[in-house]
Amino acid sequence: MSFATALRCRKCGQEYPLQPVNLCEFCLSPLDVSYDYKAIAKVLTREKIAAGPRDLWRYQDLLPVSSGVVDIGAGFTPLVKAERLGKELGLEQLYIKNDCLNPTYSFKDRPVSTAITKAKEFGFDTVACASTGNLAASVAALAARTNMKAYVFVPSNVEPGKLVGIAIYNPTLVTVNGSYDDVNRLCARLAEKYKWGFININLRPYYAEGNKTLGFEVAEQLGWRAPDCAITTAGSGLHFTRIWKGLEELSMLGLIGPVNTRMYVTQAAGSSPIVNAFQAGSQHVHPVEPNTIAKSIAIGNPADGYYALRIVRQSGGDACAVPDEEAIAGMKLLAQTEGIFTEAAGGVVIGGLKRLAASGTIKKNELTVAYITGAGPRTQDTVADIVRPFTVQPTLESFEEVLGMPV
Amino acid sequence: MAKRQVMFTFPQKLIKEPIIYNLGKKFSVITNVRRADVTENKGWVVLELEGEEKDIEQGIKWVTAKGVRVDPVIGDIMQG
Ligand SMILES: [Zn+2]
């Protein structure tokens, strides 16, 4: 059974039944899942969670799904103490939440797990999404797992190599002749016309909730406490807001103490509408044209930008835009200190963390968690220049000569 | 009749122009504003457009050509 009770408008509070809809009819603001927290408090304990499965479904009581979950083993990824990276950045209590280690190599397996489980409950036989990478792979994999049809829309100018990690799960892969905006517009129209579960349209309230497990797990893995600082990226801003919601829910249920976490958001400098709004002191996030190598977070019109911005301010955090060169340096630094190969979005986090630590905004003794949300191998081209092998003849002499070994 | 939910973002030079009014008049599109915020240098309006599909399309083309940015209310659907 599920403890979810209704969908509620974030702006005007209007309530709706738990249906596949994502916008308030009155003010056109996003809808969020509400829960019966009193009932949850009666059954949920640290022990019950600890005894649950070693994936995101250990938190099923706090997710808007009933039974028969679609499970590919998403979540419960390692939280590792980053001694070497910490030393490099001057942080003594730095942890990395390594979400590269999800079944399709990014955190998207979390929200897609809840979205597709819900799609099945609603009786959809088809799910759809628009994505060039992480989201598409996750949707295709989870759809395969539960024998649903999947339609994936991508702009036709995407590098063919990127599509392999999606096509392997055999969704209906559609390349659209046009820009990102054209794909956006087409999908909005398709969502009106076809009775599909559209991952970040009509399933979005349920999709959103899967991201809370990023907050739940970190608190559990820290021995049931919230960190002093949490830092991650924002594309749409959604997972950033849900890390916070996850921590707040645990606190409200008495599973952890009060949350004093400062929330830090990073974006690529070439696509930073949320950071721009923060720095301008604005309430509204004005859309931009993205131009960055960090494609997985290149979102010009972030659906949850306003809410992400509010959490940065409310929590006493900060927002940081990171140029592509610093993101690449961040990718290399993380790989070469902690052995974690992230995509450019993770490099943005490390680049931002470096700046915030250097300026003393994040202090060296503060317990800081950096979320690394996706793995690097899907977008190897961003760091292709790293490959500079020594070329030798198959002789000992040649090896020693070329590498200058002491003979 | 079709409906479309969009956000218009106005640059400063267009804030004083009655663009939404003209959109309704020129293209037989019913404009229904749900949320808005306009300051002296920038403004945004969230609204629903209702009318024939082709009128809505042409209307959006016209406001875009005027210099207004038009985005889906739900934000970018396309994700990495
Ligand atoms: Zn509302």
Side-chain angles (χ1 to χ4, degrees), chain A residues 22 25-29 108 130-132 134-135 155 180 184 189 200 284 286-287 289 299-301 303, chain B residues 3-5 7 9 34-35 42 44 46-48 53 57 69-80:
Chain A
N22 68 321
E25 282 172 20
F26 296 93
C27 69
L28 304 182
S29 296
K108 298 280 188 195
S131 162
T132 56
N134 294 338
L135 177 65
Y180 274 56
N184 276 323
R189 306 284 302 280
N200 45 3
H284 181 70
H286 287 287
E289 297 291 340
I299 291 180
N301 177 23
Chain B
K3 280 184 187 173
R4 196 82 65 81
Q5 294 142 355
M7 179 171 75
T9 306
R34 304 300 177 83
R35 282 187 282 133
K42 234 176 186 184
W44 59 269
V46 163
L47 71 170
E48 189 166 72
E53 192 63 61
E57 275 301 318
R69 185 179 161 125
V70 181
D71 288 283
V73 164
I74 48 179
D76 285 353
I77 298 163
M78 188 78 203
Q79 302 254 317

Side-chain angles (χ1 to χ4, degrees), chain A residues 182-394:
Chain A
D182 294 330
V183 182
N184 276 323
R185 259 178 242 123
L186 171 66
C187 290
R189 306 284 302 280
L190 291 168
E192 282 166 18
K193 173 140 192 199
Y194 292 95
K195 303 246 165 301
W196 295 341
F198 228 112
I199 291 297
N200 45 3
I201 306 181
N202 56 354
L203 294 174
R204 191 170 169 92
Y206 312 98
Y207 170 80
E209 289 295 279
N211 291 307
K212 290 190 306 191
T213 57
L214 285 164
F216 298 154
E217 286 175 19
V218 159
E220 182 183 355
Q221 288 167 318
L222 288 173
W224 298 106
R225 59 157 291 183
D228 298 324
C229 306
I231 180 167
T232 188
T233 53
S236 73
L238 184 61
H239 91 269
F240 179 81
T241 66
R242 298 306 150 129
I243 291 170
W244 177 253
K245 186 177 179 190
L247 294 172
E248 292 265 274
E249 282 185 345
L250 292 186
S251 175
M252 181 176 34
L253 292 164
L255 296 167
I256 60 173
V259 178
N260 297 311
T261 308
R262 299 200 307 276
M263 297 289 294
Y264 294 91
V265 74
T266 59
Q267 295 196 287
S271 181
S272 56
I274 299 172
V275 179
N276 298 349
F278 180 81
Q279 288 170 350
S282 161
Q283 300 262 344
H284 181 70
V285 175
H286 287 287
V288 300
E289 297 291 340
N291 178 21
T292 168
I293 56 156
K295 300 284 182 220
S296 67
I297 51 169
I299 291 180
N301 177 23
D304 283 78
Y306 170 84
Y307 302 94
L309 194 55
R310 228 172 46 176
I311 287 169
V312 176
R313 291 198 173 114
Q314 235 179 50
S315 71
D318 205 341
C320 188
V322 178
D324 283 354
E325 313 82 73
E326 288 178 35
I328 289 172
M331 288 170 77
K332 293 177 181 170
L333 183 61
L334 181 63
Q336 291 162 18
T337 53
E338 299 299 335
I340 295 170
F341 182 13
T342 178
E343 60 179 2
V348 168
V349 174
I350 302 301
L353 184 61
K354 188 172 182 179
R355 285 183 174 218
L356 292 163
S359 66
T361 310
I362 294 180
K363 294 181 187 59
K364 74 172 183 191
N365 57 351
E366 289 180 315
L367 199 166
T368 300
V369 173
Y371 285 88
I372 300 300
T373 49
R378 200 171 278 144
T379 53
Q380 298 193 14
D381 43 313
T382 50
V383 283
D385 70 320
I386 205 96
V387 182
R388 278 169 311 203
F390 294 99
T391 304
V392 304
Q393 300 309 315

Side-chain angles (χ1 to χ4, degrees), chain B residues 7-57:
Chain B
M7 179 171 75
F8 288 176
T9 306
F10 297 89
Q12 184 170 21
K13 66 177 170 45
L14 293 177
I15 283 176
K16 289 182 180 163
E17 270 193 52
I19 287 184
I20 294 174
Y21 172 80
N22 285 334
L23 169 67
K25 268 192 95 168
K26 273 185 169 29
F27 298 93
S28 332
V29 171
I30 302 166
T31 58
N32 188 340
V33 173
R34 304 300 177 83
R35 282 187 282 133
D37 183 31
V38 179
T39 60
E40 64 276 27
N41 51 28
K42 234 176 186 184
W44 59 269
V45 175
V46 163
L47 71 170
E48 189 166 72
L49 307 176
E50 195 177 345
E52 295 301 330
E53 192 63 61
K54 65 170 191 349
D55 291 332
I56 294 179
E57 275 301 318

